[in-house]
Amino acid sequence: MTDIEYMKRGIELAKGGMGFVNPNPMVGAVIVKDGEIIGEGYHEEYGQLHAERNAIANCKESLSGSTMYVTLEPCCHYGKTPPCTEAIIKSGIKKVVIGSVDPNLLVSGKGIEILRKNDIEVVENVLKEECDKLNEVFFHYIKTKIPYVVMKYAMTMDGKIATYNGKSKWITGEEARESVHRDRHKYSGIMIGIGTVLADNPMLNCRIENTKNPVRIICDTNLSMPLGSNIVNTANYIPTIIATCCEDKVKQDEYINKGCKVIPVPKKDNYIDLTILMSKLGEEKIDSILLEGGAALNWSALDSGIVNKVQTYIAPKIFGGVNAKSPVSGLGVENPEQSFYLKNKVITQIGEDILIESEVIQKCSQV
């Protein structure tokens, strides 16, 4: 096998930590000696041993003279676990092949420097693009301290998210809906507006076995979510945050006593200031959010500049209807050149539906 093939194996291992390691990165490590893999490991859960230490622990023979392939630069500082550079140096590994350099200022090249100072050969940037993509959420969060936001919606081929009378179950097929639940596991939080709560009374949980539920985040400007709603009634065992502009402490306590966490946020244009909310959620160690809001919240999120990626599920159906809703409402842009531009489109067939994933560049008015 080649360096590329070993690194690809490391990437596959790293994905085993998806959804469990946030806000830490997903990392995989492979140890090779005399052309044979003698140890593998990945970062399995936040607060537990890192990939490098797991790979070393899984080795059943001497590591002297071996090579480690790791998708992210080994850490060199004490956090919840000791430095991985320390374990590598003590193990007898003589060469380390790295995919991504860690953007965390506590590491960022320092891990590589320490290894080289201890006579360990280091090769950088093997499958760098793939390794960087693996941790796009971590890279964004560690540099900005705010969540990476993915705006997701499902629509028909004529751009409708519901029929003229508001019915929307189901636009997409079972495979697409399962894909959404995998993303609910992948990302730390899921966010909707009060309108979606009142219309659908959702649970916002993950319905796949051996996964975790995201933190539910409800944008409720006036704190009007029914105390008998599914979300409030399950807040004791599914983490739930209500972002509100309501300063009534007595009213807030009604939700707090049910298990919700209430985060006060100032208003902007009569609604929650989403930019400030993102900073507050970042402080809660929420590194990523799946935005499953309605058309109004989607517009507010785009307009405030918090959206990093757009996921568009398109079903081979046509609803029609001049009053049927589209995915984004609000005021909208005045001129085509003020559009929100997207890049790096990836198109995937999921069952009978199509998923288009695109990164948001910026508001055109800022260009």
Side-chain angles (χ1 to χ4, degrees), residues 230-264:
N230 286 331
I231 288 174
V232 175
N233 281 337
T234 55
N236 277 320
Y237 63 89
I238 301 179
T240 302
I241 293 173
I242 304 174
T244 185
C245 303
C246 176
E247 299 179 355
D248 186 335
K249 298 296 183 183
V250 175
K251 199 171 183 181
Q252 289 181 10
D253 283 344
E254 291 180 327
Y255 296 91
I256 293 171
N257 292 337
K258 289 270 196 173
C260 301
K261 180 166 188 173
V262 176
I263 296 183

Side-chain angles (χ1 to χ4, degrees), residues 296-362:
L297 182 57
N298 285 347
W299 166 256
S300 296
L302 282 168
D303 193 43
S304 65
I306 69 168
V307 180
N308 301 101
K309 179 184 284 188
V310 176
Q311 288 185 334
T312 305
Y313 288 87
I314 303 176
K317 302 174 183 177
I318 292 178
F319 283 173
V322 66
N323 294 319
K325 290 183 179 179
S326 63
V328 182
S329 60
L331 179 62
V333 300
E334 184 177 1
N335 299 304
E337 60 267 23
Q338 295 173 311
S339 301
F340 296 90
Y341 277 77
L342 308 174
K343 66 177 182 177
N344 297 337
K345 294 178 289 295
V346 177
I347 302 173
T348 308
Q349 181 87 34
I350 302 180
E352 63 180 10
D353 306 305
I354 294 171
L355 169 62
I356 303 177
E357 298 179 279
S358 311
E359 297 172 21
V360 178
I361 300 175
Q362 58 185 348

Side-chain angles (χ1 to χ4, degrees), residues 126-193:
V126 173
L127 285 187
K128 173 178 166 53
E129 185 175 342
E130 290 88 339
C131 290
D132 287 354
K133 185 68 175 176
L134 176 70
N135 282 308
E136 63 183 358
V137 165
F138 171 73
F139 282 20
H140 172 83
Y141 178 71
I142 201 68
K143 289 186 283 189
T144 65
K145 307 302 181 186
I146 61 174
Y148 184 91
V149 178
V150 178
M151 187 176 85
K152 164 261 164 186
Y153 55 84
M155 69 179 192
T156 60
M157 289 189 72
D158 58 336
K160 307 298 184 181
I161 61 171
T163 60
Y164 72 89
N165 59 0
K167 294 181 180 179
S168 60
K169 292 184 179 179
W170 294 102
I171 291 176
T172 54
E174 289 185 11
E175 294 94 335
R177 297 200 295 275
E178 183 177 335
S179 174
V180 172
H181 281 277
R182 284 196 295 270
D183 279 341
R184 288 185 180 186
H185 165 71
K186 176 181 178 180
Y187 298 113
S188 295
I190 182 170
M191 188 165 80
I192 63 170

